[in-house]
Amino acid sequence: MWKWEAEDPKAVVVIVHGANEHHRRYDWLISMFVSKGIHVVMGDLPGQGHTSKKLRGHINSFHDYIEKIQSWIKEALNYHLPVFLLGHSMGGLAVIRTLQEIKLPVTGVILSSPCLGLVEYPSKGLDLLTRGLNVLAPSMKFNSGVSVTKATRNKVVLEKDVDDPLYVTHVSVRWYRELIGAMKKSFSEIRKLSDYPLLLIQGGNDKIVDKKIVNHWFNQLSSTEKTYKEYPELYHEVFNEPEREDVFNYTYTFIINHINE
């Protein structure tokens, strides 16, 4: 876990990254928050980033993510400032599952292209095979099938990702089955999600997460205050896209409005 502190801070944002990636891919977003007077708390999720190379791309349980997010929130609360929880893609799914399991003292929640359904799934045969392997060889890995070119149109980001040794390209059978299970629970346990002010930002041209499923989940959510913001041309990583300043400003306004409240 790492912390970036702002001068004259007014809030804290805990950022939860997505699948395959790590915290250093959020350098731009972190610097933007800090420049606006917002502390940032962030780390690498289990099986990703600076975790053990042998374990990269593997988890034993999706609950591993929930426990890690809890620890980051606990650290953020030490600042005694309003805390916002921001999750991208699988990190957004992990945030949802965390808040379905535990009521955390956060001021607001921001979801960025949350992984609630995929544009492309493995074939039925491969899906069936993973069910058996999840018992017999849960740590066996296969190509995730997700390339950075599907994630963003930002050429600067793409150039960095090509040589990124921490970018995960292979995931384990257990990781995949846990992801599928978490997506199902995000719907079946939707009523367990406590009532937080929610901002959901979705790329309209997302090639990884199925935006129709995301919108369906959002419409079922019985939150007192919820906002769905879709950017028609944007790919999956809305905070990395060429229009990311517009996305950041929209997010920052959401935060400021709720600090003032």
Side-chain angles (χ1 to χ4, degrees), residues 25 148-149 154-167 169:
R25 295 189 75 249
V148 292
T149 55
N154 190 326
K155 293 182 180 179
V156 174
V157 174
L158 290 173
E159 288 173 0
K160 290 182 179 179
D161 286 340
V162 169
D163 298 319
D164 187 349
L166 296 180
Y167 199 87
T169 58

Side-chain angles (χ1 to χ4, degrees), residues 19-177:
N20 304 327
E21 55 173 357
H22 54 91
H23 77 281
R24 291 305 303 269
R25 295 189 75 249
Y26 290 74
D27 286 349
W28 180 85
L29 183 59
I30 291 168
S31 65
M32 290 296 289
F33 277 127
V34 171
S35 71
K36 295 292 187 179
I38 298 176
H39 292 331
V40 177
V41 174
M42 188 177 187
D44 291 337
L45 289 171
Q48 298 189 214
H50 289 276
T51 56
S52 170
K53 184 176 182 180
K54 183 179 180 181
L55 296 175
R56 204 171 293 157
H58 174 71
I59 54 171
N60 292 316
S61 167
F62 205 84
H63 198 77
D64 296 346
Y65 294 151
I66 294 175
E67 291 180 351
K68 186 62 67 175
I69 292 171
Q70 280 184 270
S71 70
W72 294 342
I73 290 292
K74 183 178 180 181
E75 186 65 30
L77 290 170
N78 289 332
Y79 286 112
H80 303 289
L81 293 166
V83 175
F84 293 82
L85 185 53
L86 189 162
H88 169 67
S89 191
M90 188 200 70
L93 174 62
V95 165
I96 291 169
R97 289 294 301 125
T98 300
L99 297 177
Q100 286 176 332
E101 295 291 333
I102 308 149
K103 183 172 176 57
L104 293 173
V106 298
T107 301
V109 178
I110 302 151
L111 302 176
S112 161
S113 302
C115 186
L116 298 169
L118 302 176
V119 172
E120 296 180 5
Y121 285 89
S123 66
K124 290 184 179 180
L126 181 56
D127 181 75
L128 183 61
L129 180 62
T130 63
R131 294 171 186 267
L133 290 174
N134 192 33
V135 177
L136 300 174
S139 61
M140 179 181 292
K141 295 180 181 179
F142 58 95
N143 194 305
S144 68
V146 177
S147 66
V148 292
T149 55
K150 291 183 178 180
T152 179
R153 296 139 54 225
N154 190 326
K155 293 182 180 179
V156 174
V157 174
L158 290 173
E159 288 173 0
K160 290 182 179 179
D161 286 340
V162 169
D163 298 319
D164 187 349
L166 296 180
Y167 199 87
V168 174
T169 58
H170 289 71
V171 294
S172 72
V173 171
R174 174 63 52 80
W175 180 89
Y176 173 71
R177 295 313 318 174

